[in-house]
């Protein structure tokens, strides 16, 4: 292996072990033994267990954050929420080991790579979305950071629960999360209060979205879905082209390999004839 290949192998092996056993339950000896290398090789690449753990955690943090950030680039707030919930559940489904590492009690070696700090980073992005939504609805935008923590915490904890149960499916879970979050936001009380014991305080009902707003929302969702489908079709076409190119290249290599084998066989047969001829000549000389 090259140095880069060896480093990547050690990262992948460590990722699996940290997901199964946590930081404290994993040793340098185990990482090295699984990779079939000596301990100094691991130390050479990462300086120790803390180093490889920090790299693994940072990779998972960046991967999940990039998926959430991309989801929040949608045009409408509802679509942002839907895509963000789906992005988190997609990450959990495709990178279960990485998510298990993030939600474990993080070791000091991970630096800022704790689950709490991850939630805070995502919440800071959601905060801007909520602030715009609050202003549009006449609510106090200063409350957006608190509501962002609530919203992201709800989705993240649902993800932790779904990590093990995996039922219902990803899209159905996301739909229910969005249903609770969005329909709660559309009827949000601008001045909520906790009722005192034995005494109910009056609740001021918030204005609900008009039919016009709902129609515009539906149009925006349809447009986003059509764009997503077009992008998916483009990706499928590109993937098919790449597959065809790969098959042609593989066919070309097979033909070249077959020609090489034929040349080798001809050379072998020629050498065999020469040896046979030399043997006959030698036998003839001995007879004389």
């Amino acid at each position: 292996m090259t140095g880069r290949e060896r480093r990547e192998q050690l990262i992948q092996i460590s990722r699996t072990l940290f997901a199964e056993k946590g930081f404290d339950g994993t040793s340098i000896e185990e990482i090295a033994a699984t990779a079939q290398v000596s301990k100094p090789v691991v130390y050479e690449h990462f300086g120790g267990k803390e180093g490889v753990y920090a790299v693994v955690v940072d990779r998972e943090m960046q991967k999940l954050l990039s998926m959430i950030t991309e989801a929040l680039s949608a045009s409408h707030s509802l679509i942002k929420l839907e895509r963000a919930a789906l992005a988190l559940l997609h990450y959990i489904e495709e990178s279960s080991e990485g998510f298990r590492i993030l939600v474990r009690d993080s070791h000091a070696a991970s630096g800022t790579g704790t689950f709490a700090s991850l939630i805070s980073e995502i919440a800071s992005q959601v905060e801007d979305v909520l602030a715009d939504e609050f202003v549009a609805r006449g609510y106090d935008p200063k409350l957006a950071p608190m509501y962002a923590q609530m919203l992201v915490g709800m989705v993240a904890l649902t993800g932790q629960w779904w990590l093990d149960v995996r039922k219902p499916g990803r899209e159905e879970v996301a739909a229910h999360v969005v249903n609770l979050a969005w329909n709660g936001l559309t009827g949000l009380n601008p001045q909520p209060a906790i009722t005192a014991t034995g005494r109910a305080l009056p609740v001021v009902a918030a204005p609900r979205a008009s039919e016009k707003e709902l129609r515009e929302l539906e149009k925006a969702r349809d447009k986003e879905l059509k764009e997503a489908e077009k992008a998916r079709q483009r990706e499928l076409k590109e993937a098919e082209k790449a597959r065809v190119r790969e098959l042609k290249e593989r066919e070309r290599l097979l033909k070249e390999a077959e020609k090489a084998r034929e040349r080798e066989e001809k050379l072998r047969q020629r050498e065999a004839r020469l040896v046979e001829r030399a043997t006959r000549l030698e036998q003839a000389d001995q007879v004389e």
Side-chain angles (χ1 to χ4, degrees):
M1 287 188 181
T2 64
R4 179 178 297 180
E5 290 172 339
R6 177 65 69 189
R7 177 183 173 85
E8 187 62 30
Q9 180 206 29
L10 291 172
I11 290 173
Q12 294 304 319
I13 288 173
S14 301
R15 180 178 183 267
T16 299
L17 293 174
F18 288 140
E20 293 175 353
K21 304 180 179 183
F23 178 86
D24 293 329
T26 303
S27 65
I28 284 290
E29 289 82 358
E30 191 171 11
I31 294 172
T34 306
Q36 298 182 345
V37 298
S38 61
K39 289 193 295 183
V41 174
V42 183
Y43 286 115
E44 179 184 352
H45 282 279
F46 303 102
K49 185 171 68 170
E50 292 81 3
V52 66
Y53 183 76
V55 171
V56 170
V57 170
D58 182 68
R59 277 194 176 189
E60 297 303 324
M61 290 268 290
Q62 294 305 317
K63 181 178 180 180
L64 179 52
L65 282 173
S66 65
M67 292 172 68
I68 298 295
T69 301
E70 183 178 356
L72 293 174
S73 65
S75 59
H76 195 279
S77 297
L78 175 58
I79 297 172
K80 292 178 192 285
L81 182 58
E82 289 176 338
R83 289 188 174 181
L86 281 171
L88 175 62
L89 295 175
H90 179 74
Y91 170 80
I92 294 172
E93 192 172 53
E94 301 297 327
S95 304
S96 297
E97 289 183 346
F99 191 71
R100 289 187 190 280
I101 293 171
L102 293 179
V103 299
R104 281 182 179 274
D105 293 334
S106 297
H107 190 271
S110 62
T112 59
T114 65
F115 193 57
S117 67
L118 176 66
I119 295 300
S120 294
E121 288 194 48
I122 296 175
S124 66
Q125 299 183 49
V126 176
E127 177 185 328
D128 296 333
V129 177
L130 290 182
D132 294 339
E133 194 75 15
F134 277 26
V135 171
R137 296 177 181 274
Y139 307 138
D140 186 358
K142 292 180 181 179
L143 297 175
M146 179 175 66
Y147 278 89
Q149 292 286 341
M150 295 176 187
L151 183 60
V152 174
M154 177 184 73
V155 177
L157 286 174
T158 302
Q160 281 186 267
W161 163 80
W162 189 71
L163 174 64
D164 293 319
V165 298
R166 297 299 176 92
K167 291 181 180 180
R170 179 177 68 198
E171 291 191 4
E172 187 175 351
V173 173
H176 283 288
V177 169
V178 173
N179 182 38
L180 174 61
W182 184 257
N183 290 328
L185 288 173
T186 57
L188 195 66
N189 183 351
Q191 293 179 330
I194 301 298
T195 58
T197 304
R199 180 171 59 88
L201 297 178
V203 177
V204 180
R208 291 193 173 271
S210 66
E211 290 188 6
K212 181 180 179 182
E213 289 175 327
L214 292 174
R215 285 196 299 271
E216 290 177 352
L217 170 61
E218 189 63 29
K219 288 180 181 178
R221 289 187 65 181
D222 289 342
K223 183 178 179 181
E224 291 282 350
L225 290 172
K226 288 178 181 178
E227 290 176 354
E229 180 60 23
K230 288 180 180 178
R232 191 178 72 86
Q233 291 298 330
R234 285 196 298 270
E235 290 175 358
L236 289 173
K237 289 180 180 178
E238 290 298 323
E240 181 62 22
K241 289 180 181 178
R243 191 180 69 84
V244 171
R245 288 196 297 269
E246 183 180 351
L247 289 173
K248 289 182 178 179
E249 179 64 15
R250 186 181 301 176
E251 185 179 351
R252 183 184 68 80
L253 292 174
L254 287 173
K255 288 181 179 179
E256 290 182 355
E258 182 63 27
K259 289 180 180 178
R261 282 195 296 270
E262 290 176 356
R263 288 195 298 270
E264 184 178 346
E265 179 63 21
K266 288 179 180 179
L267 287 173
R268 190 186 64 79
Q269 291 176 358
R270 181 181 177 185
E271 289 176 356
R273 287 195 298 270
L274 290 173
V275 170
E276 183 180 356
R277 181 180 178 185
T279 301
R280 286 200 303 269
L281 291 173
E282 183 179 352
Q283 292 174 347
D285 290 340
Q286 290 177 355
V287 171
E288 291 176 0

